[in-house]
Amino acid sequence: MKPLYLKPVNLKPLYLKSTCVSLILACLCQGAQAQLLDQLGNQVEGVTRELEQVTDDVQEQVRKAAEDELSGSLDNPVVNPLTDALGKTVDGVAQTTDAVVQTTGDIAGNALASSLPILNRTGATVFVEVRVEDNWRAVEREWLMLLDQPGLKALSALDAEIIEQTQFADLGLQLVRFRVPAVLDSLRELKKHLPAHLHEQLDRNHIYSPQRGGPHGVHQAKENPPSANPPAAISKPMCDQAVSIGVIDTAINTQHVAFAKSHIESQDFAGAEFDAPRAHGTAVAGLLVGMDGGGERNQQLIPLLPAAKVFAASVFYPRSDYAQGATMINLVRALNWLAEKKVRVINMSLAGPDNKILALAIQKTIQAGINIVAAAGNEGPAAPPAYPAAYADVIAVTAVDKNQRIYRWANRGDYIDFAALGVAVFTARSTGDFGNESGTSMAAPLVTAAVACTAQGTFAIEQLKKLAQDLGVPGRDPVFGDGFLHRP
């Protein structure tokens, strides 16, 4: 029998593309990075498409080779050469993919300066956002801890500036927000000077991001262009119950025709001095309660919860045309407001670092009988856990496409609970039109709606497990969690 050969696949150009992109970005100033971010996202998508084409080519070669060799004896050593050649090719594809993902992460991370002044609409600096431990971001030298008289006395001795002391009555929390001198700006240093009982009740005023698009929103422009080919309509809502739900997100364009018959009550926590971003929140709310406004092409958007009342907490400020941020203290304010409103479930399509104060606020919210659904994160398969999704009692949602394949940028891990459609999802846009959006943010609303439709919205996760379709390896897994949830 003749030897089996596979046509060589040249991966070098793909690797060079990813390397060149990284080198070019390193030479650009911050302003140029922001201007080229859209172009860069397109380049990375192009490389990804080429990688997918490589995979298709390999599969086609294997198929043809197998057909050629089936006429030979089954005793001939066909399998080993085939496996070796295929393994080498797949390894090359995997290495190139890793290079592209690493380059993308580096580019996205560097798109925001290590120290970024956050400006209001008049151009004045409100605060400075900085890169901190583990490459997360926080308000410069700002910390929070539980209100405690010995702690306040210790802070006074440290020459710390007390910014506010706030009681969050509906969460049963009292917090102090303060700013420390630069020499004390670490958990290690603060622990040296604060009472031991406060060490686990102290953390930074971290920054959180929406979860639409690829890593750090690298594929997300200020406003995406309208979709030329919207998907087929989905005809049924999750239920018609008049439930109250909470959404912690950007502001919503409530003047959009999609919300003409919706009940939305909004509260701004980011601050009136900012021009509040609206794109992400509008897309999320569009899935929950949006409805098309008629016309030839707008027969697509069917609300998940047509009779629901939405309490929308706006927490995000603009970092640039391409990125938004929300401070941890404003997430706590939003949770307290929604606890006051006694919503059944809260959708948090945002992610960031583990934070002791946020964990406590989440715990208090859930103890009040309110479920929390959060996007699993869009930082990629090798990314660390994203919070609040990774907290034990939060329902973490990942995204799949219409063929139930995992979204390529979705986080993975033991904390994933369910998967839902989150790729090319048709929804409302803040520009007043409709279009497709992708990300774990777009998957979370479906699970939020499913929770809202369960018996009183409590202990929902056990009920949802009974409805989920198992995907991937049998049973719970770190890719799809307990399975795929879909509309009726």
Side-chain angles (χ1 to χ4, degrees):
M1 184 188 70
K2 64 182 179 180
L4 177 64
Y5 296 101
L6 292 178
K7 178 182 176 181
V9 179
N10 186 7
L11 297 171
K12 186 176 180 181
L14 302 181
Y15 175 78
L16 290 177
K17 283 186 180 182
S18 65
T19 304
C20 289
V21 169
S22 183
L23 291 174
I24 291 171
L25 259 292
C27 299
L28 295 176
C29 65
Q30 180 185 348
Q33 286 180 1
Q35 294 174 3
L36 292 179
L37 192 56
D38 263 351
Q39 299 176 20
L40 180 59
N42 293 333
Q43 291 179 26
V44 174
E45 286 284 6
V47 173
T48 303
R49 285 194 294 271
E50 292 186 51
L51 289 174
E52 291 172 346
Q53 184 60 53
V54 168
T55 304
D56 292 342
D57 290 344
V58 171
Q59 291 174 342
E60 181 64 16
Q61 289 179 48
V62 172
R63 185 186 66 78
K64 290 181 179 179
E67 289 177 353
D68 292 342
E69 294 302 328
L70 280 176
S71 59
S73 170
L74 292 176
D75 295 331
N76 287 331
V78 175
V79 175
N80 287 341
L82 176 62
T83 302
D84 291 344
L86 180 59
K88 291 178 181 178
T89 305
V90 172
D91 285 346
V93 172
Q95 291 172 6
T96 304
T97 303
D98 289 344
V100 172
V101 171
Q102 180 62 49
T103 301
T104 304
D106 291 343
I107 291 164
N110 291 332
L112 293 174
S114 59
S115 179
L116 178 68
I118 302 301
L119 310 179
N120 62 19
R121 58 169 55 93
T122 66
T125 298
V126 179
F127 59 87
V128 177
E129 181 184 307
V130 295
R131 189 175 296 130
V132 294
E133 301 86 0
D134 299 321
N135 211 35
W136 295 112
R137 301 182 73 84
V139 179
E140 184 179 39
R141 295 188 285 120
E142 271 197 19
W143 294 76
L144 295 105
M145 72 176 186
L146 291 186
L147 187 60
D148 176 270
Q149 291 305 318
L152 286 176
K153 185 176 180 180
L155 289 177
S156 177
L158 295 177
D159 200 27
E161 176 190 354
I162 305 298
I163 301 172
E164 65 172 300
Q165 299 178 44
T166 306
Q167 180 175 1
F168 298 97
D170 290 279
L171 295 179
L173 294 176
Q174 295 185 73
L175 299 179
V176 56
R177 180 163 61 104
F178 59 96
R179 183 179 294 110
V180 299
V183 293
L184 297 177
D185 191 28
S186 73
L187 188 59
R188 183 181 62 183
E189 289 300 318
L190 286 176
K191 282 183 175 180
K192 294 178 182 178
H193 303 280
L194 293 174
H197 69 277
L198 287 174
H199 291 180
E200 295 304 314
Q201 300 168 1
L202 165 78
D203 217 326
R204 289 189 183 275
N205 193 7
H206 280 117
I207 306 296
Y208 294 76
S209 302
Q211 294 301 290
R212 183 181 72 176
H216 303 278
V218 71
H219 302 305
Q220 178 186 337
K222 185 175 183 180
E223 297 290 354
N224 293 332
S227 171
N229 298 298
I234 300 175
S235 58
K236 294 183 179 180
M238 293 298 289
C239 70
D240 293 318
Q241 297 180 37
V243 295
S244 293
I245 60 173
V247 173
I248 301 179
D249 214 295
T250 71
I252 298 169
N253 178 10
T254 55
Q255 301 306 308
H256 195 295
V257 65
F259 304 123
K261 298 181 180 180
S262 301
H263 304 282
I264 301 175
E265 180 179 330
S266 300
Q267 182 73 30
D268 177 28
F269 294 98
E273 68 265 40
F274 295 113
D275 289 322
R278 302 184 300 173
H280 194 266
T282 300
V284 168
L287 295 174
L288 289 166
V289 296
M291 186 177 298
D292 68 64
E296 293 183 1
R297 72 178 294 273
N298 293 333
Q299 300 296 326
Q300 309 291 329
L301 189 58
I302 306 298
L304 289 160
L305 298 170
K309 180 169 184 178
V310 176
F311 292 92
S314 172
V315 295
F316 285 95
Y317 57 84
R319 288 160 156 170
S320 69
D321 286 347
Y322 307 95
Q324 302 86 42
T327 62
M328 199 280 299
I329 186 62
N330 284 337
L331 297 187
V332 176
R333 297 187 209 280
L335 288 168
N336 187 72
W337 179 63
L338 293 174
E340 175 193 343
K341 297 299 181 181
K342 294 180 171 55
V343 298
R344 180 173 291 187
V345 57
I346 298 173
N347 188 97
M348 299 182 73
S349 288
L350 52 90
D354 185 10
N355 183 288
K356 295 180 181 67
I357 301 298
L358 179 61
L360 185 58
I362 292 283
Q363 180 185 29
K364 294 284 189 179
T365 304
I366 294 173
Q367 287 174 349
I370 301 171
N371 280 287
I372 296 179
V373 176
N378 299 341
E379 298 301 315
Y387 295 85
Y391 291 128
D393 294 325
V394 173
I395 301 173
V397 184
T398 191
V400 297
D401 64 16
K402 63 180 181 180
N403 296 314
Q404 298 178 0
R405 296 175 301 194
I406 194 68
Y407 178 51
R408 67 164 61 100
W409 297 117
N411 285 33
R412 302 185 185 186
D414 293 340
Y415 68 96
I416 305 298
D417 290 307
F418 297 103
L421 181 64
V423 178
V425 179
F426 190 74
T427 188
R429 286 184 168 154
S430 61
T431 48
D433 57 1
F434 300 83
N436 297 339
E437 300 291 350
S438 296
T440 57
S441 275
M442 299 299 110
L446 188 143
V447 179
T448 295
V451 172
C453 294
T454 59
Q456 298 182 3
T458 57
F459 306 106
I461 195 164
E462 295 303 320
Q463 298 180 55
L464 296 185
K465 287 179 182 179
K466 299 175 182 178
L467 302 175
Q469 174 188 344
D470 192 27
L471 297 181
V473 299
R476 185 179 176 93
D477 65 72
V479 180
F480 304 102
D482 284 305
F484 173 69
L485 292 170
H486 53 81
R487 296 178 75 146

